[in-house]
Amino acid sequence: NVKRCTLDLDNEDNQVLLYNVLNGDADALLNDMVDQTITMVGAYMDKHPAPVIDEGTGEVIGTTSKYRIIIFDNEGKTYATGSYGIYNALTMIFDIFGEPTDKHPIKVKVSKKATSNGHSTLTLVRVK
């Protein structure tokens, strides 16, 4: 299990906010925000193993990773996704630009890009 949270969890308001969002109370799905800009002031990422089940037999045939990501914006809104593309984009953003906070907001534009297998994935484009 890999968890990363940029919110100050010593602050009880942030604890309550994170708990409620993780409990299914996000304001919007990130997938509904394509082509829109978000000023991030916080993020939560959770990567955890999940079973792969054979649909024919119901048998567990392996494991994969599942993702839960919450983005917090400067207006108090929260955006949820389970996108691997967003997990990767946030990891790169944190490595290059640092973690988003109230004092260090990071602007991103939600984007969809085509993948090699003909599907699409969500990603974030860094904007000024």
Side-chain angles (χ1 to χ4, degrees), residues 78-117:
T78 54
Y79 308 92
T81 185
S83 167
Y84 171 69
I86 295 297
Y87 183 88
N88 279 343
L90 282 176
T91 300
M92 280 193 291
I93 286 169
F94 295 171
D95 288 347
I96 295 169
F97 302 104
E99 294 182 347
T101 65
D102 288 328
K103 292 180 176 70
H104 177 64
I106 296 176
K107 272 191 183 178
V108 293
K109 183 175 177 183
V110 181
S111 179
K112 255 189 189 174
K113 69 178 181 183
T115 60
S116 58
N117 62 4

Side-chain angles (χ1 to χ4, degrees), residues 12-104:
E12 189 176 4
D13 289 341
N14 286 346
Q15 292 171 349
V16 170
L17 175 63
L18 180 61
Y19 172 80
N20 287 337
V21 172
L22 291 175
N23 208 23
D25 196 23
D27 294 312
L29 297 177
L30 205 58
N31 202 42
D32 296 336
M33 300 299 293
V34 172
D35 293 330
Q36 296 189 49
T37 298
I38 297 172
T39 302
M40 290 192 300
V41 295
Y44 171 88
M45 301 190 309
D46 178 12
K47 175 184 174 184
H48 55 275
V52 175
I53 299 179
D54 182 303
E55 291 184 21
T57 65
E59 172 185 353
V60 175
I61 56 173
T63 59
T64 187
S65 292
K66 291 283 188 180
Y67 303 89
R68 180 164 45 175
I69 297 112
I70 310 293
I71 292 176
F72 303 86
D73 80 4
N74 63 328
E75 296 175 358
K77 290 195 172 117
T78 54
Y79 308 92
T81 185
S83 167
Y84 171 69
I86 295 297
Y87 183 88
N88 279 343
L90 282 176
T91 300
M92 280 193 291
I93 286 169
F94 295 171
D95 288 347
I96 295 169
F97 302 104
E99 294 182 347
T101 65
D102 288 328
K103 292 180 176 70
H104 177 64

